[in-house]
Amino acid sequence: MAIDETQVEPVSAIRNLGPAYEEACHRAGIGSAEELRRLGADAAYLRLLETGTKPHFIGYYVLVMALQGRPWNDCKGREKAALRNRFDALKARAFDAHRSQFEAMLDRIGVIDTRRRK
């Protein structure tokens, strides 16, 4: 049975995630709000990093808060410190600025499709 594209909820339908985040998700092969929710913040953020998104702590915790249905600035104190540790671990695991930029360029010119990785 074919999926009715008119019923797919866009990433930007999630509170705090706008068109720029939606575009980054699209580049990472995340095409809907449901897929983003299913992946969860850590797996989705890894995909973003692997497809050329530069790591930024605020971008990570905004995603975490958005998937919890909370305001982006609701993250404070120990919770924020714990998220910083998770972010640092994700960044160390997945982000290679030179590789990510190179692969993103190859994807843009049609040599590889980074959305199909993994």
Side-chain angles (χ1 to χ4, degrees), residues 3-79:
I3 296 174
D4 180 359
E5 300 254 342
T6 62
Q7 295 183 4
V8 174
E9 184 181 29
V11 168
S12 60
I14 298 174
R15 177 184 182 170
N16 303 326
L17 303 182
Y21 221 106
E22 184 171 86
E23 177 57 33
C25 286
H26 177 73
R27 284 192 309 270
I30 303 167
S32 68
E34 174 173 296
E35 186 175 4
L36 181 58
R37 289 182 185 109
R38 182 181 50 76
L39 283 169
D42 290 1
Y45 202 75
L46 278 172
R47 281 173 117 183
L48 293 173
L49 294 177
E50 290 170 348
T51 54
T53 296
K54 291 182 181 177
H56 195 281
F57 177 55
I58 293 172
Y60 172 68
Y61 83 69
V62 163
L63 176 60
V64 172
M65 295 295 104
L67 291 177
Q68 293 177 8
R70 296 166 57 192
W72 72 269
N73 58 353
D74 196 34
C75 185
K76 294 178 176 58
R78 281 187 247 181
E79 180 183 28

